[in-house]
Amino acid sequence: WLGSQDLAACCGQADVPVRHYKRRDEIYEALGIHELLGMECPEVLKVVRKYYEADDLCDKAMLDKPPPVRRIVAVHGVNVKTDTMYALRVNTLRVKPMELHSRFVLDDQAELVESVPGLCMSGGMVYEQSGGSKYSGDGVVPFDSMEYCRAWAGHVDLQVKYLDDVDHRGLLKDPG
């Protein structure tokens, strides 16, 4: 599986939350984006390392350094079904030597190990949705990513506003 968030933060568990629906003893290995890029397209990983991570101006440690402003009002659309993790399998499709195909495809035979309120899985994708112990994302950005601004709370005057059932694009149109 490939997740955009820390498993403990999104699911309350540190184990891989998915399994194959028939072969339940088979294990999905947790991968981060660097591992996946290394297997799928090492050239892109080289670009990331050379032009971003090796750049002294890049905040590669993602430190909690706030932007140079005094006040932030963050407005989040919430409680829209948002993809957060992906179960991938090796693509076993035979192809012609000159055709470019992904080494991995979504595994539509994966399922959640256990039912977790606020999470669902379909077509190899795990979604956060309303009904859990916290808000879900805006249909594009997972809730935990939107909440990153809270790391700056001790450095700026921070207000966070939530607009229920407003998706990413609709946020710009909402008069509320």
Side-chain angles (χ1 to χ4, degrees):
W1 70 273
L2 176 68
S4 65
Q5 306 298 321
D6 175 54
L7 280 177
C10 79
C11 308
Q13 60 191 42
D15 297 324
V16 177
V18 298
R19 65 179 174 210
H20 192 275
Y21 86 102
K22 284 186 181 177
R23 300 181 302 270
R24 295 175 179 232
D25 57 333
E26 291 190 9
I27 298 169
Y28 286 82
E29 184 178 347
L31 296 177
I33 192 68
H34 284 86
E35 292 87 359
L36 184 67
L37 283 175
M39 292 187 293
E40 180 69 13
C41 44
E43 300 80 22
V44 173
L45 182 57
K46 288 178 187 174
V47 169
V48 168
R49 287 187 171 143
K50 180 177 180 180
Y51 294 104
Y52 294 95
E53 293 174 355
D55 187 338
D56 291 336
L57 297 177
C58 180
D59 187 9
K60 54 191 158 279
M62 293 297 288
L63 299 175
D64 298 333
K65 190 166 128 181
V69 295
R70 292 185 187 137
R71 182 173 187 205
I72 295 175
V73 177
V75 181
H76 304 326
V78 294
N79 290 333
V80 178
K81 188 176 175 181
T82 305
D83 53 311
T84 59
M85 293 179 270
Y86 311 94
L88 304 174
R89 65 174 172 81
V90 175
N91 188 359
T92 58
L93 176 72
R94 290 183 180 228
V95 297
K96 297 177 184 174
M98 298 306 290
E99 288 184 28
L100 180 62
H101 287 273
S102 174
R103 184 176 300 176
F104 301 99
V105 293
L106 289 169
D107 188 348
D108 59 357
Q109 296 182 341
E111 66 180 10
L112 292 173
V113 171
E114 61 185 53
S115 179
V116 177
L119 286 182
C120 68
M121 185 166 194
S122 173
M125 299 172 74
V126 177
Y127 298 92
E128 60 184 16
Q129 61 187 5
S130 62
S133 61
K134 62 180 183 177
Y135 290 120
S136 65
D138 67 2
V140 175
V141 181
F143 182 73
D144 288 338
S145 293
M146 290 190 288
E147 288 288 280
Y148 185 79
C149 63
R150 291 200 180 272
W152 308 323
H155 306 282
V156 298
D157 176 15
L158 175 68
Q159 292 181 39
V160 181
K161 306 286 185 181
Y162 301 107
L163 301 178
D164 195 40
D165 200 28
V166 176
D167 69 19
H168 191 76
R169 288 171 196 84
L171 182 64
L172 299 175
K173 298 187 303 185
D174 193 283

